[in-house]
Amino acid sequence: ELRHAIDDGRLSVAYQPVFAIRGQPRLSGFEALVRWRHPQDGTIAPGTFLPIAEEAGLMVKLTDFMLHCACRQLREWQQIDPAHAELTMNVNVSGNDIAHAAFVARVTRALVESGLQPRHLCIELTENILMSRLEGALPVLGELRKLGVLLAIDDFGTGYSSLAYLRKLPAEELKIDRSFVQDLEHSPDARAVVDAVLKLAHALGLKVVAEGVEHADDLVLLRRLGCDLAQGFHLARPLPLDELLL
């Protein structure tokens, strides 16, 4: 059913806004998120069908669908309004994508066909995926960086990154896992972790994105700690294209 959903165009994309939060929050870009509305079972969570896509060898098709939709959509927004010219689009990719011999060519094709500049596309990889495939991933990430594409390390703080490797990665962003952000107000330990990640990232010249910001108090604390960017239900939920107002 998933294979047919991909082939028949029954998957869709939701876009979650990402905001720069130093000073008054302003729109910085979007994260593209895949959605599957099953005709009988209703909306199926990505956490349910993405592992199936991995096991069934469908990730190449799924990622290509997301890359092309996301790049094309951002380019359309940029052409509609010059105020959107510097927005970025984040697309999540899997370990299978990074190991795929033609991955850089696939990313290049999505950019060329949409007309989007590489610096406006950010590829997201989770910390666990990145570290489990690091030796093989580094050359691919280097090629993407030469192309001009950005890299974000997702779910940072939940894996086992080596600091020695972190400074060698051609990344522009670290995304702090929501588990730390959601405990920020009540947990001194969570605040200490977030503060440490911010200091480390800024020392390495990286921007930091806080995920899962659901309360105004969390946003205030993140801004006080010096966080650069944030996303979450307090700021904006992921929305289908027809509900986004730009």
Side-chain angles (χ1 to χ4, degrees):
E1 287 183 306
L2 179 58
R3 189 184 306 276
H4 289 310
I6 296 171
D7 291 341
D8 298 342
R10 286 190 273 119
L11 297 183
S12 62
V13 183
Y15 298 93
Q16 182 165 34
V18 180
F19 292 87
I21 60 170
R22 293 199 172 197
Q24 191 67 21
R26 59 178 177 79
L27 184 64
S28 174
F30 295 89
E31 180 178 356
L33 302 165
V34 66
R35 295 290 184 262
W36 181 15
R37 184 172 291 279
H38 190 278
Q40 281 80 44
D41 299 333
T43 301
I44 300 177
T48 299
F49 69 83
L50 289 179
I52 296 170
E54 290 267 13
E55 291 179 20
L58 297 173
M59 283 307 300
V60 169
K61 278 189 174 185
L62 184 55
T63 299
D64 284 351
F65 165 77
M66 292 297 293
L67 282 169
H68 283 267
C69 284
C71 290
R72 184 172 60 247
Q73 187 55 60
L74 180 57
R75 185 61 187 139
E76 286 182 11
W77 285 330
Q78 291 177 337
Q79 291 174 316
I80 289 170
D81 189 340
H84 304 329
E86 294 307 313
L87 296 181
T88 57
M89 182 68 75
N90 286 35
V91 177
N92 296 276
V93 304
S94 71
N96 286 347
D97 288 311
I98 289 296
H100 192 262
F103 181 61
V104 177
R106 290 161 52 203
V107 172
T108 302
R109 189 180 309 116
L111 290 166
V112 170
E113 290 182 3
S114 65
L116 187 70
Q117 291 296 312
R119 64 191 177 88
H120 295 132
L121 175 64
C122 183
I123 297 295
E124 286 194 25
L125 276 166
T126 67
E127 184 182 14
N128 282 330
I129 286 175
L130 190 56
M131 295 308 296
S132 66
R133 297 174 180 258
L134 191 59
E135 292 303 326
L138 282 174
V140 176
L141 300 179
E143 288 184 57
L144 289 171
R145 195 66 198 96
K146 286 180 184 176
L147 184 62
V149 172
L150 307 177
L151 171 68
I153 302 174
D154 197 12
D155 298 343
F156 190 78
T158 62
Y160 49 92
S161 286
S162 161
L163 296 183
Y165 278 119
L166 184 58
R167 67 185 179 85
K168 296 179 183 178
L169 289 171
E172 282 70 34
E173 293 180 1
L174 295 184
K175 301 190 76 172
I176 300 177
D177 186 71
R178 66 183 63 246
S179 61
F180 297 107
V181 174
Q182 291 172 350
D183 281 341
L184 205 56
E185 185 180 0
H186 304 292
S187 171
D189 290 344
R191 281 199 300 277
V193 169
V194 171
D195 187 44
V197 170
L198 283 162
K199 286 182 169 64
L200 171 64
H202 290 159
L204 294 172
L206 305 175
K207 291 183 179 180
V208 178
V209 186
E211 296 185 286
V213 179
E214 297 188 356
H215 304 285
D217 290 343
D218 295 332
L219 188 61
V220 170
L221 283 169
L222 287 164
R223 187 182 287 124
R224 190 180 302 156
L225 289 169
C227 191
D228 306 287
L229 301 148
Q231 63 187 101
F233 288 0
H234 172 67
L235 293 160
R237 291 175 177 269
L239 293 170
L241 185 59
D242 59 359
E243 294 183 25
L244 273 170
L245 299 175
L246 288 182

